[in-house]
């Protein structure tokens, strides 16, 4: 099994279906990554904040050592955390993350969230998280503009530390602003995307600017119920929604596959995570059947403009999307 590739503006090709590393436990992460590679996954979506880059790198190293794959056949993504936005901190933390993975370049390095938090050294706490103190009570903003951070990302790409750069959780306004100063366009935009948060205009803007969009949390409430978010518990699961179940039945696919196909047919890349081998296989097999235009429309019409992954919904007092 393998994934189709999407063309990026930097000249690279990126797998359309990858594996997300958020919430993958440290103790099983190396094995999960190794098995995902064995199953056919080539893109891994990591981040400092997930706290498992060392273990993910161990899985990659074992797969390379066993001859399952070569480094150049993999597409490794990582992210710049909010507390490393000061331009002078970008290269050092990127180099630490490369060392954690045990690789000498990333295929894509993206700004995780458009907010600068006060620098916390890796020796003090790593991953640093959202709060400035260990007690998780206080937010302290940093002083770096997104423009200055992005310029440091461009410098890192020019040095070959990453083949491409991108952004995540940017709104249309932030993307438009970025396009006024970027000398290297972001290759990708990573956003929350599912039938309750369809964002057609943001997708159009990205397309007009040759930016590939990666959708995360493709199953909507599922990963937030999983993460114990109170708000998500009141929202009907997409897996049980009549529109999704009836389309799945018609195509003899699972509801998860229909949700991933809806996104991939809209041109997005997806990065589902699963701890089960069966679901892992199922999630990769989502580009070998087609939904009709009418089915895509029916799914898109479930839109509620409902965002789960906003800091405020996690009890983090940062009004990022307000
Ligand atoms: N840029 C950002 O700010 C950001 C934010 C969130 C996520 N992400 C990235 O996006 C990735 C995916 O997002 P996510 O973790 O929110 O959601 P997800 O991986 O799309 O969904 C994970 C949830 O769905 C379940 N699941 C997976 N495959 C399934 C299937 N075929 N059938 C039924 N249930 C299934 C998983 O349970 P099991 O493990 O038990 O299968 C888990 O509960 C993350 O790993 C991360 O890399 C980025």
């Amino acid at each position: 099994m393998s994934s189709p590739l999407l063309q990026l503006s930097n000249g690279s090709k990126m797998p359309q279906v990858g594996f997300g590393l958020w919430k993958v436990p440290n103790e099983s992460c190396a094995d999960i990554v190794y098995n995902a590679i064995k199953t056919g996954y080539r893109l891994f979506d990591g981040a400092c904040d997930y706290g498992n880059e060392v273990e993910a790198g161990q899985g990659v190293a074992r797969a390379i050592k066993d001859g399952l794959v070569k480094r150049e056949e993999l597409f490794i993504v990582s992210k710049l955390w909010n507390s490393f936005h000061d331009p002078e901190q970008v290269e050092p933390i990127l180099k630490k993350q490369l060392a954690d993975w045990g690789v000498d370049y990333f295929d894509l390095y993206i700004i995780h969230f458009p907010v600068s938090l006060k620098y916390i050294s890796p020796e003090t706490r790593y991953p640093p998280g959202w709060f400035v103190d260990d007690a998780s009570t206080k937010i302290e903003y940093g002083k770096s503009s997104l423009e200055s951070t992005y310029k440091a990302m461009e410098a890192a790409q020019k040095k070959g530390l990453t083949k491409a750069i991108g952004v995540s959780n940017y709104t249309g306004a932030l993307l438009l602003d970025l396009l006024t100063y970027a000398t290297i366009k972001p290759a990708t935009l990573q956003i929350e995307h599912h039938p309750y948060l369809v964002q057609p205009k943001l997708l159009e803007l990205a397309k007009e600017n040759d930016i590939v969009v990666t959708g995360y949390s493709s199953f909507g409430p599922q990963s937030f119920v999983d993460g114990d978010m109170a708000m998500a518990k009141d929202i009907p699961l997409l897996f049980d929604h009549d529109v999704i179940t009836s389309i799945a039945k018609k195509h003899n696919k699972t509801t998860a596959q229909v949700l991933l196909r809806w996104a991939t047919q809209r041109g997005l890349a997806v990065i589902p995570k699963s701890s089960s081998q069966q679901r892992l296989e199922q999630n990769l097999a989502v580009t070998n059947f087609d939904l009709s235009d009418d089915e895509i429309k029916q799914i898109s019409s479930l839109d509620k403009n409902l965002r789960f992954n906003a800091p405020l919904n996690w009890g983090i007092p940062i009004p990022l999307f307000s």
Side-chain angles (χ1 to χ4, degrees), residues 47-49 79-87 89-90 93 97 109-120 127-131 139-146 149 168-170 311 316 318 320:
C48 148
D49 193 47
K79 308 190 187 82
L80 177 79
W81 186 245
N82 314 330
S83 53
F84 301 110
H85 275 212
D86 298 345
Q89 298 303 342
V90 172
I93 200 65
Q97 291 179 265
Y109 193 62
I110 64 190
I111 296 179
H112 202 151
F113 283 96
V115 59
S116 165
L117 296 180
K118 188 183 171 191
Y119 174 71
I120 295 170
W130 290 90
F131 295 93
I139 292 290
E140 209 167 308
Y141 291 106
K143 301 240 181 283
S144 298
S145 70
L146 291 172
T149 306
S168 177
N169 297 303
Y170 272 45
I316 298 159
I318 298 181
L320 206 57

Side-chain angles (χ1 to χ4, degrees), residues 131-282:
F131 295 93
V132 77
D133 55 340
D134 287 330
S136 298
T137 51
K138 206 170 150 235
I139 292 290
E140 209 167 308
Y141 291 106
K143 301 240 181 283
S144 298
S145 70
L146 291 172
E147 177 173 354
S148 68
T149 306
Y150 193 79
K151 296 267 171 214
M153 299 280 284
E154 291 182 328
Q157 176 171 333
K158 284 183 190 143
K159 279 196 174 172
L161 298 170
T162 181
K163 300 238 185 248
I165 52 176
V167 292
S168 177
N169 297 303
Y170 272 45
T171 57
L174 290 176
L175 203 56
L176 284 165
D177 184 54
L178 182 154
L179 291 166
T180 65
Y181 56 74
T183 59
I184 302 175
K185 268 195 198 178
T188 71
L189 164 68
Q190 189 174 124
I191 49 168
E192 179 178 338
H193 173 268
H194 44 73
Y196 292 151
L197 186 64
V198 177
Q199 305 170 88
K201 293 294 167 195
L202 183 55
L203 299 192
E204 260 173 48
L205 178 65
K207 193 170 179 187
E208 280 161 19
N209 287 287
D210 204 13
I211 300 168
V212 168
V213 177
T214 299
Y216 72 75
S217 302
S218 304
F219 308 135
Q222 178 62 42
S223 56
F224 302 97
V225 172
D226 218 27
D228 213 20
M229 181 189 283
M231 166 201 160
K233 293 177 185 156
D234 297 331
I235 312 292
L237 285 185
L238 282 162
F239 289 147
D240 301 334
H241 199 291
D242 287 351
V243 169
I244 311 293
T245 53
S246 67
I247 294 174
K249 206 167 163 196
K250 198 167 140 209
H251 289 270
N252 199 20
K253 298 286 173 191
T254 67
T255 47
Q257 286 175 311
V258 167
L259 292 168
L260 294 171
R261 189 57 183 139
W262 169 77
T264 52
Q265 259 181 265
R266 299 179 83 220
L268 281 85
V270 290
I271 42 175
K273 155 262 170 191
S274 181
S275 49
S276 126
Q277 180 61 28
Q278 195 196 5
R279 292 193 285 276
L280 198 85
E281 288 173 17
Q282 205 185 95

